[in-house]
Amino acid sequence: MRKLIIGALGLVLFATSGVSFYQSRRLEEPVVLSDGVTDVKRLGDYFEGVRGTVNDANLYFLDSGVPGATMLVLGGTHPEEPAGRLAAWLLAENAVMEEGRLIVVLSGNRSATTVTRVGGAYPPDFTIETDWGERTFRLGDRWSNPLDQWPDPEVYIHDPSGQYLAYVDIRNLNRAWPGRPNGTLTERTTYAFMELIRREGVDVFIDLHEAELQYPVISTIVAHESGQELATFVSMMLSDTEFNMGMEYSPVNLRGLSHREVGDNSDAVSLLFEAPEPFLDATRGRTTREQLLTGQDEFVVKAGEAGLLFERIDERGWPIAVRVGRHTSAVLQTMEAWTELNPDRPIRSRGVPRYAEVIERGVGHWLRDPASVPPGRVRVE
Amino acid sequence: MALLQTLVTLLYYALVAFVSVMLVWNLIRSRDWKEEVLYVIVLVPFLLRLFRLK
């Protein structure tokens, strides 16, 4: 009898934790398609090696029908940097192209959205208040879920460079470019994106990220040398009119990163945008949903007072609207600068809020109600 | 590499299943209630991994 009671208690513990993990992994995130979305394809359409896997991502095509450039915006390379994903969400739900073509990805590494950092006490999800209710998103992690790709090697040897990288980065999408068709899930995913870039003739590739304030590559554009003129132009315009934005060159000897490998292995200009996210800082206090969304943390402020940070912070923190607004403005500014530099291949959109508009109305204002549109105009991430 | 990963993963799950069965077996044989509680607590993460929940 005693054994039965103890066993039953164990089963309750297993069932409750199991249901929690199961639901978290399968939380459905709706996407209300903008009127400008003309097609939704899957990453598996470009490479069979990811078809039907957890990383068979949705690809949102917004085609103006007017000849011009093609831009690919990748959100969710690192899902635990939610401003990158949310900015891409705002594009997919609001953008209408007037010239050229935009392809948007919300879950670059969908596997990584289904797990949080082991031992990190991360919340499994976060919620954004909207004008009509709320939307909940998976928080995710920096690396693919070990349930989808395991084990890690002692040392990750990047292909094709042969460079030695940290073992865990074999599951890091932004260390696995340009990928390989017979590699791990993460490598097959970047290979599929490279196929997409090559086959769709992408002119500009943008990878959206966030960074801890103790990391020197922050509030900046990292640009492949093929995009130095474009990135410099964007950096100057943003810094002059909206917010400070740096510009750095992609290191030639740091392999596996999108800003290096996409530029080296395709005709696309490759850029990576970084926004500040105190949630990622090692000196942060409690790792909560509130901290994630407000970007407020007294311990990170203390680190700033000690001169340990590469970006300013005060008690106002770095709210999610500021971080998302930086990304949307940077994408829009890139379209404008590209068009000015390449008038024969323009790209122009409307409907996407810039920095000041996102801050003024909040991120949620730009997320649309799934119940307000026909079911055919809603997708799930 | 991918094939090796698959083989190691299969071996790993076989090991997890084996340890889970051993824990249940020890739980049944044990006569000390503190040991029984310990076996149950240790078993939970093994089951979560075996059923690919975490």
Side-chain angles (χ1 to χ4, degrees):
Chain A
M1 186 63 185
R2 187 187 68 221
K3 283 188 200 302
L4 280 177
I5 292 170
I6 291 174
L9 286 174
L11 270 180
V12 169
L13 195 61
F14 166 68
T16 50
S17 56
V19 166
S20 169
F21 291 134
Y22 183 89
Q23 289 177 339
S24 170
R25 186 164 155 80
R26 286 163 181 77
L27 176 70
E28 292 193 340
E29 304 167 314
V31 184
V32 181
L33 303 183
S34 152
D35 294 339
V37 174
T38 50
D39 198 6
V40 182
K41 295 184 181 177
R42 303 298 291 260
L43 192 56
D45 296 339
Y46 293 87
F47 175 52
E48 279 294 325
V50 296
R51 188 186 294 279
T53 70
V54 66
N55 274 5
D56 193 1
N58 287 333
L59 312 171
Y60 301 91
F61 282 71
L62 297 89
D63 193 342
S64 67
V66 179
T70 296
M71 174 183 282
L72 169 60
V73 175
L74 184 64
T77 291
H78 295 150
E80 60 164 354
E81 299 161 14
R85 263 191 115 204
L86 290 171
W89 230 285
L90 263 54
L91 293 173
E93 296 206 359
N94 296 280
V96 176
M97 300 308 291
E98 295 182 329
E99 289 177 302
R101 194 166 61 136
L102 177 65
I103 307 169
V104 183
V105 180
L106 309 184
S107 306
N109 187 356
R110 194 177 171 283
S111 170
T113 70
T114 65
V115 66
T116 54
R117 190 163 300 184
V118 177
Y122 279 23
D125 51 42
F126 63 94
T127 298
I128 301 285
E129 300 292 331
T130 71
D131 297 349
W132 46 267
E134 54 186 34
R135 281 261 195 104
T136 300
F137 300 85
R138 298 186 297 270
L139 174 56
D141 196 5
R142 182 178 177 85
W143 298 284
S144 303
N145 193 329
L147 287 178
D148 301 318
Q149 182 184 318
W150 194 87
D152 298 335
E154 288 290 312
V155 176
Y156 164 37
I157 303 173
H158 173 257
D159 186 85
S161 71
Q163 187 170 75
Y164 283 24
L165 298 172
Y167 76 98
V168 72
D169 278 337
I170 199 166
R171 287 185 283 114
N172 182 344
L173 196 81
N174 204 27
R175 297 296 183 278
W177 296 91
R180 51 180 170 168
N182 57 348
T184 63
L185 174 68
T186 312
E187 288 174 313
R188 296 200 310 274
T189 304
T190 50
Y191 181 82
F193 278 123
M194 288 304 307
E195 285 294 289
L196 164 69
I197 290 165
R198 287 187 281 251
R199 284 162 57 178
E200 294 294 343
V202 170
D203 297 290
V204 186
F205 169 82
I206 296 174
D207 192 4
L208 300 176
H209 285 255
E210 295 193 87
E212 57 269 51
L213 280 63
Q214 287 173 295
Y215 185 58
V217 184
I218 191 166
S219 305
T220 193
I221 303 169
V222 186
H224 189 269
E225 53 268 23
S226 61
Q228 61 182 1
E229 189 179 14
L230 177 65
T232 306
F233 196 3
V234 172
S235 165
M236 285 170 56
M237 291 304 294
L238 287 177
S239 299
D240 188 47
T241 59
E242 293 183 89
F243 49 83
N244 280 331
M245 186 68 143
M247 184 266 175
E248 301 180 24
Y249 291 114
S250 167
V252 176
N253 293 325
L254 187 52
R255 309 307 305 201
L257 290 101
S258 65
H259 48 71
R260 167 53 40 203
E261 306 294 352
V262 173
D264 280 1
N265 292 278
S266 75
D267 294 329
V269 165
S270 181
L271 308 174
L272 184 150
F273 298 165
E274 291 279 12
E277 185 189 0
F279 182 86
L280 297 176
D281 273 283
T283 54
R284 69 180 182 273
R286 289 184 64 197
T287 310
T288 61
R289 292 177 174 90
E290 185 189 4
Q291 205 268 22
L292 177 76
L293 297 177
T294 64
Q296 294 170 351
D297 192 296
E298 60 178 308
F299 297 97
V300 180
V301 171
K302 281 279 182 197
E305 289 167 0
L308 299 173
L309 306 181
F310 293 90
E311 177 57 278
R312 62 167 181 80
I313 186 170
D314 56 26
E315 68 283 351
R316 290 172 296 177
W318 282 94
I320 191 72
V322 173
R323 291 141 55 193
V324 171
R326 287 181 67 98
H327 279 330
T328 57
S329 262
V331 170
L332 295 173
Q333 194 64 53
T334 305
M335 289 185 188
E336 290 173 26
W338 169 273
T339 301
E340 198 153 327
L341 295 169
N342 304 274
D344 56 323
R345 282 183 296 158
I347 182 164
R348 194 156 53 91
S349 74
R350 60 180 161 81
V352 181
R354 293 192 78 106
Y355 180 67
E357 293 170 290
V358 179
I359 294 172
E360 182 189 345
R361 298 188 168 187
V363 174
H365 176 77
W366 307 98
L367 294 171
R368 299 167 63 200
D369 183 359
S372 69
V373 297
R377 298 298 292 174
V378 178
R379 292 289 187 279
V380 173
E381 284 292 310
Chain B
M1 177 67 185
L3 178 66
L4 201 61
Q5 270 193 324
T6 306
L7 285 174
V8 172
T9 302
L10 288 173
L11 279 172
Y12 169 74
Y13 278 99
L15 272 172
V16 171
F18 175 74
V19 173
S20 301
V21 170
M22 286 295 101
L23 285 168
V24 172
W25 178 246
N26 283 337
L27 170 67
I28 293 167
R29 285 168 55 98
S30 174
R31 298 188 181 282
D32 181 351
W33 71 269
K34 284 180 282 188
E35 270 187 15
E36 290 167 6
V37 170
L38 191 62
Y39 284 132
V40 164
I41 290 172
V42 171
L43 184 61
V44 169
F46 280 88
L47 292 180
L48 288 172
R49 180 51 60 95
L50 191 62
F51 289 99
R52 296 180 55 77
L53 292 166
K54 183 66 177 176

